[in-house]
């Protein structure tokens, strides 16, 4: 499988999984969670860190010859913040036990920023992932 197809597939599979997990009623997930304070916010942070990192790799594979990293990463960040806000709105208007929370939005944003940092390190320090600008 070509590199750009692999990162495209992984990114969209991750986002599809994230969408399903975000919109399903939590009682249908049947996940036993340990008693960690603010676990929900940590999950948002980690999921969006992974989403941003995969999104950056997807963009690198698809358009690194056409777009500079300094344009592509902020564009992906804005797209993911917007996506996260839409998910929160959908949770708020749904009939499930889900609810919209500003804390989730902030956890998403922090995860996106952290994922962008990881991506920049990958693109600048790991030769195999060099963006080229």
């Amino acid at each position: 499988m070509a590199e750009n197809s692999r990162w495209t597939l992984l990114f969209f599979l991750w986002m599809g999984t994230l969408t399903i997990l975000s919109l399903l009623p939590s009682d249908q997930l049947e996940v036993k969670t340990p008693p960690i304070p603010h676990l929900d916010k940590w999950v948002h942070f980690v999921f969006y860190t992974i989403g941003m990192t995969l999104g950056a790799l997807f963009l690198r594979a698809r358009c690194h010859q056409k777009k500079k990293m300094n344009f592509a990463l902020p564009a992906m960040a804005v797209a993911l913040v917007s996506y996260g806000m839409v998910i929160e709105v959908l949770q708020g208007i749904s009939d499930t036990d889900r609810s919209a929370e500003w804390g989730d939005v902030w956890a998403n944003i922090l995860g996106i920023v952290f994922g962008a940092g990881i991506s920049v390190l990958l693109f600048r320090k790991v030769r195999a992932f060099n963006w080229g600008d």
Side-chain angles (χ1 to χ4, degrees):
M1 180 181 289
E3 179 187 11
N4 61 2
S5 297
R6 174 183 33 198
W7 294 119
T8 300
L9 179 64
L10 283 172
F11 174 67
F12 285 104
L13 279 174
W14 181 257
M15 295 309 294
T17 301
L18 184 58
T19 302
I20 291 168
L21 291 175
S22 296
L23 297 177
L24 272 178
S26 59
D27 60 349
Q28 286 186 3
L29 296 176
E30 296 182 22
V31 176
K32 294 188 184 222
T33 58
I36 298 172
H38 311 290
L39 179 63
D40 173 52
K41 305 309 177 246
W42 284 107
V43 169
H44 279 265
F45 176 83
V46 170
F47 280 18
Y48 279 79
T49 296
I50 293 168
M52 181 63 194
T53 305
L54 288 175
L57 290 166
F58 154 69
L59 287 178
R60 178 194 159 272
R62 286 288 174 182
C63 63
H64 79 279
Q65 299 298 329
K66 301 174 206 156
K67 302 284 184 202
K68 293 194 177 287
M69 179 176 59
N70 293 341
F71 169 81
L73 292 184
M76 178 57 70
V78 167
L80 286 175
V81 169
S82 300
Y83 165 85
M85 293 178 87
V86 167
I87 290 293
E88 289 300 315
V89 168
L90 292 174
Q91 287 178 340
I93 64 174
S94 72
D95 291 338
T96 65
D97 62 342
R98 300 288 187 157
S99 62
E101 296 181 31
W102 282 108
D104 292 347
V105 172
W106 286 110
N108 296 348
I109 291 169
L110 290 173
I112 291 164
V113 169
F114 192 71
I118 290 170
S119 302
V120 168
L121 285 175
L122 274 175
F123 298 147
R124 293 203 172 136
K125 302 293 183 186
V126 179
R127 186 179 188 110
F129 291 108
N130 191 292
W131 188 286
D133 23 302

